[in-house]
Amino acid sequence: VAVYGAANTIGPLVGGYLTDHWGWQWVFWICVPIAAVAALLTRIAVPNTRAPAAPPWHPGWVLVAAVGLGVTVYGVQRLPFAPGLGAVVGMAGAVVVIVFLRAQRRLRDPLLRVDLFGDRGFSAAVGTIIVSAGVTLGAIYLTSLHLQNDRGWSASATGLVLLWQAIATTVG
């Protein structure tokens, strides 16, 4: 959560500066060197905890999970514009996700250990993280839209305003 908060601190500031000076595309290009540094630091600092034998790879189930999540998200995104279509597409995606989850329970070496969600503490922690991250991202998104579109602020000025929320998340 501290890394998430730190990224929320740095992201709006750097993203605002890049957007104001070089265009919005640069918020994606800046990720390339950051990812390279993160990969290097991971290689150096994270100990090897591999299992003695590699678990089997299930590319078909990876595809099923990706399709289910993608279709569900697409359906939810369509809800404001085409409620009927969005609901049908979202439900179809949810059905695919349910098929994936049920299949994972039966596999000897699943991609996702669904049984972990039977632990109330684990489920509560995951639920809390999902809800708090969703609320935080929604608030950041709507606040930045309001400040830039309605108030006419620059991306850099908006990043400075959002800085305090991110610092609070990092410290918390």
Side-chain angles (χ1 to χ4, degrees), residues 42-77:
T42 300
R43 184 89 168 134
I44 293 169
V46 175
N48 183 358
T49 57
R50 290 185 182 165
W57 176 243
H58 305 286
W61 287 117
V62 171
L63 181 63
V64 170
V67 167
L69 292 172
V71 170
T72 301
V73 169
Y74 179 77
V76 169
Q77 288 177 333

Short mmCIF file of all heavy atoms in Angstrom, two decimals, residues 42-77:
data_model
loop_
_atom_site.label_atom_id
_atom_site.label_comp_id
_atom_site.label_asym_id
_atom_site.label_seq_id
_atom_site.Cartn_x
_atom_site.Cartn_y
_atom_site.Cartn_z
N THR A 42 14.06 -5.88 -8.96
CA THR A 42 13.42 -7.14 -8.56
C THR A 42 14.43 -8.28 -8.67
O THR A 42 14.53 -9.12 -7.78
CB THR A 42 12.19 -7.43 -9.44
OG1 THR A 42 11.26 -6.36 -9.28
CG2 THR A 42 11.54 -8.74 -9.08
N ARG A 43 15.16 -8.31 -9.76
CA ARG A 43 16.16 -9.37 -9.97
C ARG A 43 17.22 -9.34 -8.88
O ARG A 43 17.67 -10.37 -8.42
CB ARG A 43 16.79 -9.17 -11.35
CG ARG A 43 17.75 -10.20 -11.74
CD ARG A 43 17.01 -11.32 -12.44
NE ARG A 43 17.97 -12.20 -13.07
CZ ARG A 43 17.88 -13.50 -12.98
NH1 ARG A 43 16.90 -14.06 -12.35
NH2 ARG A 43 18.77 -14.24 -13.56
N ILE A 44 17.60 -8.13 -8.45
CA ILE A 44 18.65 -7.97 -7.44
C ILE A 44 18.12 -8.23 -6.03
O ILE A 44 18.75 -8.92 -5.23
CB ILE A 44 19.25 -6.55 -7.52
CG1 ILE A 44 20.01 -6.39 -8.84
CG2 ILE A 44 20.16 -6.26 -6.34
CD1 ILE A 44 20.41 -4.94 -9.14
N ALA A 45 16.96 -7.67 -5.70
CA ALA A 45 16.51 -7.62 -4.30
C ALA A 45 15.54 -8.72 -3.87
O ALA A 45 15.44 -9.01 -2.69
CB ALA A 45 15.87 -6.26 -4.03
N VAL A 46 14.82 -9.33 -4.80
CA VAL A 46 13.82 -10.32 -4.42
C VAL A 46 14.45 -11.70 -4.45
O VAL A 46 14.97 -12.13 -5.48
CB VAL A 46 12.59 -10.25 -5.36
CG1 VAL A 46 11.60 -11.34 -5.04
CG2 VAL A 46 11.94 -8.88 -5.26
N PRO A 47 14.40 -12.42 -3.32
CA PRO A 47 15.02 -13.75 -3.29
C PRO A 47 14.24 -14.75 -4.16
O PRO A 47 13.04 -14.61 -4.37
CB PRO A 47 14.95 -14.15 -1.81
CG PRO A 47 13.85 -13.33 -1.24
CD PRO A 47 13.81 -12.06 -2.05
N ASN A 48 14.96 -15.75 -4.63
CA ASN A 48 14.36 -16.79 -5.44
C ASN A 48 13.55 -17.72 -4.54
O ASN A 48 14.08 -18.33 -3.62
CB ASN A 48 15.45 -17.59 -6.16
CG ASN A 48 14.89 -18.65 -7.08
OD1 ASN A 48 13.67 -18.84 -7.16
ND2 ASN A 48 15.76 -19.35 -7.76
N THR A 49 12.26 -17.80 -4.77
CA THR A 49 11.39 -18.66 -3.97
C THR A 49 10.64 -19.65 -4.85
O THR A 49 9.51 -20.02 -4.56
CB THR A 49 10.38 -17.82 -3.17
OG1 THR A 49 9.62 -17.02 -4.09
CG2 THR A 49 11.07 -16.93 -2.16
N ARG A 50 11.27 -20.07 -5.93
CA ARG A 50 10.63 -20.99 -6.85
C ARG A 50 10.43 -22.36 -6.21
O ARG A 50 11.24 -22.80 -5.41
CB ARG A 50 11.46 -21.16 -8.11
CG ARG A 50 11.47 -19.94 -8.97
CD ARG A 50 12.19 -20.19 -10.25
NE ARG A 50 12.20 -18.97 -11.03
CZ ARG A 50 12.97 -18.76 -12.05
NH1 ARG A 50 13.80 -19.69 -12.46
NH2 ARG A 50 12.92 -17.62 -12.70
N ALA A 51 9.36 -23.00 -6.63
CA ALA A 51 9.10 -24.36 -6.19
C ALA A 51 10.12 -25.28 -6.86
O ALA A 51 10.65 -24.98 -7.93
CB ALA A 51 7.69 -24.76 -6.58
N PRO A 52 10.40 -26.44 -6.23
CA PRO A 52 11.38 -27.35 -6.82
C PRO A 52 10.97 -27.85 -8.21
O PRO A 52 11.81 -28.05 -9.07
CB PRO A 52 11.45 -28.51 -5.83
CG PRO A 52 10.41 -28.28 -4.81
CD PRO A 52 9.87 -26.91 -4.97
N ALA A 53 9.67 -28.00 -8.43
CA ALA A 53 9.18 -28.42 -9.74
C ALA A 53 8.21 -27.36 -10.26
O ALA A 53 7.35 -26.89 -9.51
CB ALA A 53 8.47 -29.76 -9.64
N ALA A 54 8.36 -26.99 -11.50
CA ALA A 54 7.48 -25.97 -12.08
C ALA A 54 6.07 -26.53 -12.21
O ALA A 54 5.89 -27.66 -12.67
CB ALA A 54 8.00 -25.55 -13.45
N PRO A 55 5.06 -25.75 -11.80
CA PRO A 55 3.69 -26.23 -11.96
C PRO A 55 3.31 -26.26 -13.43
O PRO A 55 3.90 -25.54 -14.24
CB PRO A 55 2.85 -25.19 -11.19
CG PRO A 55 3.71 -23.98 -11.15
CD PRO A 55 5.13 -24.44 -11.18
N PRO A 56 2.33 -27.07 -13.78
CA PRO A 56 1.93 -27.13 -15.19
C PRO A 56 1.32 -25.80 -15.64
O PRO A 56 0.72 -25.08 -14.86
CB PRO A 56 0.89 -28.25 -15.24
CG PRO A 56 0.42 -28.40 -13.84
CD PRO A 56 1.54 -27.97 -12.95
N TRP A 57 1.50 -25.50 -16.90
CA TRP A 57 1.01 -24.26 -17.49
C TRP A 57 -0.31 -24.56 -18.18
O TRP A 57 -0.43 -25.54 -18.90
CB TRP A 57 2.05 -23.75 -18.46
CG TRP A 57 1.67 -22.53 -19.22
CD1 TRP A 57 1.54 -22.46 -20.57
CD2 TRP A 57 1.38 -21.23 -18.73
NE1 TRP A 57 1.20 -21.19 -20.94
CE2 TRP A 57 1.08 -20.41 -19.82
CE3 TRP A 57 1.32 -20.68 -17.45
CZ2 TRP A 57 0.75 -19.07 -19.70
CZ3 TRP A 57 0.99 -19.35 -17.32
CH2 TRP A 57 0.71 -18.56 -18.43
N HIS A 58 -1.31 -23.73 -17.96
CA HIS A 58 -2.64 -23.92 -18.53
C HIS A 58 -3.00 -22.74 -19.43
O HIS A 58 -3.79 -21.88 -19.04
CB HIS A 58 -3.69 -24.04 -17.42
CG HIS A 58 -3.40 -25.10 -16.41
ND1 HIS A 58 -3.55 -26.43 -16.68
CD2 HIS A 58 -2.96 -25.01 -15.13
CE1 HIS A 58 -3.24 -27.12 -15.61
NE2 HIS A 58 -2.86 -26.29 -14.65
N PRO A 59 -2.45 -22.67 -20.64
CA PRO A 59 -2.73 -21.50 -21.49
C PRO A 59 -4.21 -21.35 -21.83
O PRO A 59 -4.70 -20.24 -21.97
CB PRO A 59 -1.89 -21.75 -22.75
CG PRO A 59 -1.53 -23.18 -22.72
CD PRO A 59 -1.57 -23.63 -21.28
N GLY A 60 -4.93 -22.45 -21.92
CA GLY A 60 -6.36 -22.36 -22.21
C GLY A 60 -7.12 -21.66 -21.09
O GLY A 60 -7.99 -20.82 -21.36
N TRP A 61 -6.77 -21.96 -19.85
CA TRP A 61 -7.45 -21.31 -18.72
C TRP A 61 -7.04 -19.85 -18.58
O TRP A 61 -7.83 -19.02 -18.14
CB TRP A 61 -7.23 -22.08 -17.43
CG TRP A 61 -8.01 -23.36 -17.41
CD1 TRP A 61 -7.53 -24.62 -17.37
CD2 TRP A 61 -9.43 -23.48 -17.49
NE1 TRP A 61 -8.56 -25.52 -17.43
CE2 TRP A 61 -9.74 -24.85 -17.50
CE3 TRP A 61 -10.48 -22.57 -17.59
CZ2 TRP A 61 -11.04 -25.32 -17.56
CZ3 TRP A 61 -11.78 -23.04 -17.65
CH2 TRP A 61 -12.05 -24.41 -17.63
N VAL A 62 -5.81 -19.52 -18.98
CA VAL A 62 -5.39 -18.11 -18.99
C VAL A 62 -6.26 -17.35 -19.99
O VAL A 62 -6.75 -16.25 -19.70
CB VAL A 62 -3.89 -17.98 -19.35
CG1 VAL A 62 -3.52 -16.53 -19.58
CG2 VAL A 62 -3.02 -18.58 -18.26
N LEU A 63 -6.48 -17.94 -21.15
CA LEU A 63 -7.32 -17.32 -22.17
C LEU A 63 -8.76 -17.17 -21.68
O LEU A 63 -9.38 -16.12 -21.87
CB LEU A 63 -7.27 -18.13 -23.46
CG LEU A 63 -8.08 -17.58 -24.63
CD1 LEU A 63 -7.54 -16.21 -25.05
CD2 LEU A 63 -8.03 -18.55 -25.80
N VAL A 64 -9.29 -18.20 -21.02
CA VAL A 64 -10.66 -18.13 -20.50
C VAL A 64 -10.78 -16.99 -19.47
O VAL A 64 -11.73 -16.21 -19.50
CB VAL A 64 -11.09 -19.48 -19.88
CG1 VAL A 64 -12.40 -19.34 -19.11
CG2 VAL A 64 -11.22 -20.55 -20.96
N ALA A 65 -9.80 -16.89 -18.57
CA ALA A 65 -9.83 -15.82 -17.56
C ALA A 65 -9.75 -14.46 -18.22
O ALA A 65 -10.50 -13.53 -17.86
CB ALA A 65 -8.67 -16.00 -16.57
N ALA A 66 -8.86 -14.30 -19.20
CA ALA A 66 -8.71 -13.02 -19.88
C ALA A 66 -9.98 -12.62 -20.62
O ALA A 66 -10.42 -11.47 -20.55
CB ALA A 66 -7.53 -13.07 -20.85
N VAL A 67 -10.59 -13.58 -21.31
CA VAL A 67 -11.84 -13.30 -22.03
C VAL A 67 -12.94 -12.93 -21.04
O VAL A 67 -13.67 -11.95 -21.24
CB VAL A 67 -12.24 -14.49 -22.92
CG1 VAL A 67 -13.67 -14.35 -23.42
CG2 VAL A 67 -11.28 -14.64 -24.08
N GLY A 68 -13.07 -13.71 -19.97
CA GLY A 68 -14.12 -13.43 -18.99
C GLY A 68 -13.98 -12.06 -18.37
O GLY A 68 -14.96 -11.29 -18.28
N LEU A 69 -12.77 -11.70 -17.95
CA LEU A 69 -12.56 -10.39 -17.34
C LEU A 69 -12.73 -9.27 -18.37
O LEU A 69 -13.36 -8.25 -18.08
CB LEU A 69 -11.16 -10.32 -16.71
CG LEU A 69 -10.96 -11.20 -15.48
CD1 LEU A 69 -9.49 -11.20 -15.07
CD2 LEU A 69 -11.84 -10.75 -14.34
N GLY A 70 -12.18 -9.47 -19.56
CA GLY A 70 -12.29 -8.44 -20.60
C GLY A 70 -13.73 -8.18 -21.00
O GLY A 70 -14.16 -7.02 -21.12
N VAL A 71 -14.50 -9.24 -21.20
CA VAL A 71 -15.91 -9.08 -21.60
C VAL A 71 -16.71 -8.44 -20.47
O VAL A 71 -17.56 -7.58 -20.71
CB VAL A 71 -16.50 -10.44 -22.04
CG1 VAL A 71 -18.00 -10.36 -22.24
CG2 VAL A 71 -15.82 -10.91 -23.32
N THR A 72 -16.43 -8.83 -19.23
CA THR A 72 -17.14 -8.24 -18.09
C THR A 72 -16.86 -6.74 -18.00
O THR A 72 -17.78 -5.94 -17.84
CB THR A 72 -16.73 -8.93 -16.78
OG1 THR A 72 -17.03 -10.32 -16.88
CG2 THR A 72 -17.46 -8.34 -15.59
N VAL A 73 -15.60 -6.36 -18.10
CA VAL A 73 -15.24 -4.95 -18.02
C VAL A 73 -15.86 -4.17 -19.19
O VAL A 73 -16.39 -3.08 -18.99
CB VAL A 73 -13.71 -4.77 -18.00
CG1 VAL A 73 -13.30 -3.31 -18.19
CG2 VAL A 73 -13.14 -5.30 -16.69
N TYR A 74 -15.83 -4.74 -20.38
CA TYR A 74 -16.43 -4.08 -21.53
C TYR A 74 -17.93 -3.86 -21.30
O TYR A 74 -18.46 -2.79 -21.58
CB TYR A 74 -16.20 -4.89 -22.81
CG TYR A 74 -16.83 -4.26 -24.02
CD1 TYR A 74 -16.22 -3.16 -24.63
CD2 TYR A 74 -18.01 -4.73 -24.55
CE1 TYR A 74 -16.80 -2.55 -25.74
CE2 TYR A 74 -18.60 -4.14 -25.66
CZ TYR A 74 -17.99 -3.05 -26.25
OH TYR A 74 -18.56 -2.45 -27.34
N GLY A 75 -18.59 -4.86 -20.76
CA GLY A 75 -20.02 -4.74 -20.47
C GLY A 75 -20.30 -3.63 -19.47
O GLY A 75 -21.24 -2.83 -19.65
N VAL A 76 -19.49 -3.56 -18.42
CA VAL A 76 -19.68 -2.52 -17.41
C VAL A 76 -19.43 -1.15 -18.03
O VAL A 76 -20.15 -0.19 -17.75
CB VAL A 76 -18.75 -2.77 -16.20
CG1 VAL A 76 -18.74 -1.57 -15.26
CG2 VAL A 76 -19.18 -4.03 -15.46
N GLN A 77 -18.42 -1.04 -18.90
CA GLN A 77 -18.15 0.24 -19.56
C GLN A 77 -19.30 0.67 -20.48
O GLN A 77 -19.51 1.85 -20.69
CB GLN A 77 -16.86 0.15 -20.38
CG GLN A 77 -15.62 0.09 -19.53
CD GLN A 77 -14.37 -0.07 -20.38
OE1 GLN A 77 -14.41 -0.62 -21.48
NE2 GLN A 77 -13.25 0.39 -19.86
#
